[in-house]
Amino acid sequence: KLSRHAFTRFWDVHAWAGVVTSLVLYVMFFLGSVVLFYRPLTIWEEPILQQAAPTGHSLQAAVDVAKPLPEEFYLYLPYEGQGLPKVGYYLPGTSEWYMWWLDVERRVTVPQRELAAAYVYDLHYLWNNATGFWLQYGGGVLVFGFLLTLVTGVLIHLQNLVPQLHRFRPERGRRTLWSDLHKVAGVMGLPF
């Protein structure tokens, strides 16, 4: 059994670590559910993806349209016969990502215009041009916040943990109902 002082400290750490990490986690989960529809969203927002891909051109012809290119770049081919080839690269020495559609027939590059789906996709991973990679790495650090929440929660409820794992008492009022849901969902969900 924990002393009153230790119980209070663990309770405070558990509450704050849980709130802070859970808010970020819920944003990531919500955006992750939207990202499941990334491909249909990109087709909906980009008219280039709604046309048939041109045929009869080599990869070299697509790269020639995109020149000059940095030393490292990514070439994306049309997906399922729709759209144009696309090139993407980071500006040298920065974390700024640029994408260009390559219209090989007209020999022009078209900047990627519609970015709503890409913005949601990036934000799901906590990445953004404005913040760079540090926020994404910060998301990885949140794992330690989740671990802290889990450990302090187990320490707080250690003496009653086994009976509370399957206890659900909706007839005893809202506070008891939410307390039971919190304990069961936390013990079952947070480790995953």
Side-chain angles (χ1 to χ4, degrees):
K1 182 166 170 85
L2 295 172
S3 69
R4 184 73 190 149
H5 176 75
F7 181 85
T8 304
R9 294 295 161 245
F10 283 144
W11 183 273
D12 291 342
V13 169
H14 175 75
W16 282 108
V19 166
V20 170
T21 56
S22 294
L23 288 174
V24 176
L25 179 73
Y26 289 133
V27 168
M28 292 174 72
F29 281 176
F30 174 75
L31 294 174
S33 65
V34 175
V35 168
L36 288 172
F37 303 99
Y38 176 74
R39 181 70 185 160
L41 286 173
T42 57
I43 291 171
W44 170 76
E45 74 179 358
E46 180 54 69
I48 288 176
L49 289 173
Q50 298 169 13
Q51 63 189 13
T55 57
H57 299 286
S58 67
L59 290 177
Q60 186 60 48
V63 172
D64 289 342
V65 170
K67 286 185 177 177
L69 286 169
E71 190 173 306
E72 184 177 329
F73 64 91
Y74 299 87
L75 180 64
Y76 301 92
L77 300 177
Y79 184 75
E80 295 180 350
Q82 295 294 110
L84 296 173
K86 185 166 53 170
V87 68
Y89 54 86
Y90 290 102
L91 286 181
T94 71
S95 63
E96 292 187 48
W97 178 256
Y98 285 95
M99 297 284 284
W100 301 87
W101 297 103
L102 306 174
D103 192 339
V104 181
E105 291 177 352
R106 296 185 322 170
R107 303 205 43 81
V108 296
T109 58
V110 179
Q112 187 174 357
R113 300 165 291 202
E114 305 298 335
L115 300 174
Y119 181 77
V120 170
Y121 180 86
D122 291 343
L123 203 54
H124 165 64
Y125 292 104
L126 298 180
W127 187 89
N128 190 298
N129 269 343
T131 60
F133 290 109
W134 71 267
L135 191 59
Q136 184 178 17
Y137 296 143
V141 173
L142 283 178
V143 170
F144 297 107
F146 292 131
L147 181 62
L148 186 63
T149 304
L150 184 64
V151 168
T152 55
V154 167
L155 290 173
I156 289 168
H157 298 290
L158 189 58
Q159 64 188 6
N160 300 321
L161 192 61
V162 174
Q164 291 177 355
L165 279 178
H166 61 278
R167 187 182 297 168
F168 183 62
R169 304 165 290 179
E171 70 280 350
R172 299 221 9 222
R174 279 191 186 153
R175 184 178 174 129
T176 305
L177 167 72
W178 286 109
S179 175
D180 290 348
L181 281 173
H182 172 81
K183 291 171 193 164
V184 172
V187 169
M188 299 301 180
L190 198 56
F192 295 102

